[in-house]
Amino acid sequence: MEDLLSKIADTIPGEMITSLRDVYRELDDKQSRFQKDFPVHCIESCGECCRHYVPALTQAEALVAAYVIIRDEREDEVLSRLNCGDTESSVCPLYNDEGPYHCSLYEGRSMVCRLFGFSCSEDKNHNLVWRACKWKEDKKEEIDPEILKLNRKDVPVMSEYGERLEECSDIEGESIYSALPKAIWKLKMILEMTENTPA
């Protein structure tokens, strides 16, 4: 598909997508450095986080996901997953047991999914706290708090990226089951309008 984002760049949804994608790229770079500096990794073929969590999406997160879906021409597949999904289940409807990352929409995954496992939180004194993935049982990594303190500028911090997400969108999350179809519909409608508007 022709560059979808350039067609909607001057719209509010286009600006939200661009802003949040920039934050995602920055987070990806920071997490790459974090994984090089610290012994942190996912267990190969795990996917437990996807089997035990269904993310709520802000409007910006849903729009980024919808952008990836429409760009890759996967609307029917994703909407079918959402329509057939069990809204009471703890398994994410985008979970893919066969894929290497277990997310069928990895490039468009939400902020919380990006942060899980590769970021720190803060305690009440703003000290960085590392919590290893609870699914690792006997293979949990340890990171010295003093080393985190010394490397703070290179450590992804959940609260900081929560604030960055809030800058891109409303912070109220909505069920992925409703947020994603709405975002797909909105982007398709905007695209249709731009295609029917004389130059």
Side-chain angles (χ1 to χ4, degrees):
M1 180 181 261
E2 189 182 326
D3 185 19
L4 167 66
L5 200 48
S6 66
K7 291 181 177 181
I8 62 169
D10 294 333
T11 67
I12 291 172
E15 291 170 1
M16 290 170 82
I17 292 167
T18 299
S19 295
L20 187 53
R21 286 181 74 216
D22 289 345
V23 174
Y24 283 169
R25 282 191 196 102
E26 177 193 303
L27 176 58
D28 289 345
D29 289 344
K30 193 172 260 197
Q31 286 180 322
S32 291
R33 292 193 303 273
F34 182 64
Q35 289 176 40
K36 285 178 186 169
D37 294 341
F38 299 100
V40 177
H41 63 282
C42 284
I43 299 169
E44 193 172 333
S45 301
C46 177
E48 286 299 316
C49 52
C50 305
R51 281 194 283 266
H52 293 89
Y53 183 73
V54 178
L57 303 177
T58 64
Q59 186 179 13
E61 290 172 301
L63 286 167
V64 169
Y67 160 75
V68 172
I69 291 163
I70 294 169
R71 183 200 65 198
D72 296 346
E73 299 178 359
R74 296 180 54 209
E75 301 100 291
D76 292 343
E77 171 204 337
V78 172
L79 290 172
S80 175
R81 277 177 170 269
L82 294 170
N83 289 333
C84 296
D86 176 2
T87 58
E88 300 301 313
S89 172
S90 65
V91 179
C92 179
L94 299 179
Y95 172 69
N96 175 8
D97 192 37
E98 304 299 317
Y101 302 111
H102 298 295
C103 179
S104 62
L105 193 63
Y106 192 75
E107 183 186 345
R109 71 198 186 282
S110 69
M111 182 71 85
V112 70
C113 297
R114 290 168 188 272
L115 289 168
F116 182 78
F118 298 103
S119 62
C120 291
S121 57
E122 290 181 303
D123 66 16
K124 64 182 179 182
N125 298 313
H126 301 288
N127 296 311
L128 295 182
V129 178
W130 166 253
R131 290 184 178 89
C133 172
K134 69 179 183 178
W135 307 112
K136 290 189 176 175
E137 301 285 328
D138 57 341
K139 297 183 179 178
K140 290 191 176 183
E141 305 101 346
E142 297 291 329
I143 299 178
D144 184 337
E146 288 303 311
I147 295 175
L148 286 175
K149 192 175 188 178
L150 292 171
N151 293 285
R152 185 179 182 102
K153 66 179 178 47
D154 294 321
V155 176
V157 180
M158 288 184 192
S159 58
E160 291 170 8
Y161 280 94
E163 289 170 10
R164 299 289 301 282
L165 177 60
E166 191 170 358
E167 292 167 9
C168 298
S169 178
D170 58 354
I171 201 63
E172 290 298 316
E174 183 179 347
S175 165
I176 193 170
Y177 288 99
S178 57
L180 200 43
K182 283 181 193 175
I184 292 169
W185 177 82
K186 182 181 278 188
L187 283 189
K188 287 186 75 83
M189 184 183 72
I190 293 169
L191 281 167
E192 190 174 307
M193 288 171 62
T194 59
E195 286 169 4
N196 294 327
T197 303

